[in-house]
Amino acid sequence: MHLAYPAVLSSLLFCTGLYGVLARRNAILVLMSVELMLNAVNLNLVAFDVWLRDTVHAGQALTLFTIAVAAAEIGIGLAIVLAVYRARGSSDIDRLRDSAEPRDPADDPDAPADDPDAPAGEKAEATA
């Protein structure tokens, strides 16, 4: 087997997944693109394992480990996406970033308090 064929295929899969991560706005499609990238890495691991004729089959063992990690990642990722969708009503990444809750200065004990009796010059120095 030539190494070039699976290497080219895995690089195309990886680039497609990278484009999906960078261009998509839906969180589920981003997770699918990450899975596509992980599968491209798995294809590379198995191809190099066969090409090197490794007797231990370390590439295939690492591929099984990567598949297990990817399964756990997609399970946790989907749970987070569903929780966010139920709370906010959307899984659009841009809308989630824009609708983040603003910080309330009353809840932060380290935030400087605005003193209405202080002269204007002292306020300018304190904030500068």
Side-chain angles (χ1 to χ4, degrees):
M1 175 175 86
H2 295 287
L3 184 60
Y5 299 132
V8 168
L9 179 63
S10 70
S11 64
L12 288 174
L13 284 174
F14 191 85
C15 289
T16 305
L18 185 65
Y19 173 74
V21 167
L22 296 176
R24 298 293 177 190
R25 302 289 181 233
N26 191 341
I28 294 176
L29 292 178
V30 170
L31 286 174
M32 288 174 58
S33 298
V34 168
E35 290 295 320
L36 194 62
M37 292 168 61
L38 286 173
N39 284 330
V41 170
N42 289 339
L43 179 62
N44 245 350
L45 285 171
V46 171
F48 275 97
D49 184 53
V50 170
W51 184 65
L52 293 173
R53 293 184 179 94
D54 187 16
T55 57
V56 181
H57 298 294
Q60 293 177 15
L62 191 57
T63 298
L64 289 175
F65 178 73
T66 307
I67 290 171
V69 168
E73 175 257 336
I74 199 69
I76 292 171
L78 282 176
I80 291 171
V81 168
L82 284 174
V84 167
Y85 181 78
R86 286 181 181 167
R88 306 265 174 121
S90 173
S91 65
D92 188 17
I93 294 174
D94 288 337
R95 288 180 59 197
L96 293 177
R97 191 176 333 144
D98 294 340
S99 65
E101 295 179 17
R103 292 186 59 196
D104 188 16
D107 293 339
D108 191 7
D110 296 332
D114 291 332
D115 187 11
D117 298 331
E122 291 179 13
K123 277 187 182 178
E125 283 182 15
T127 58

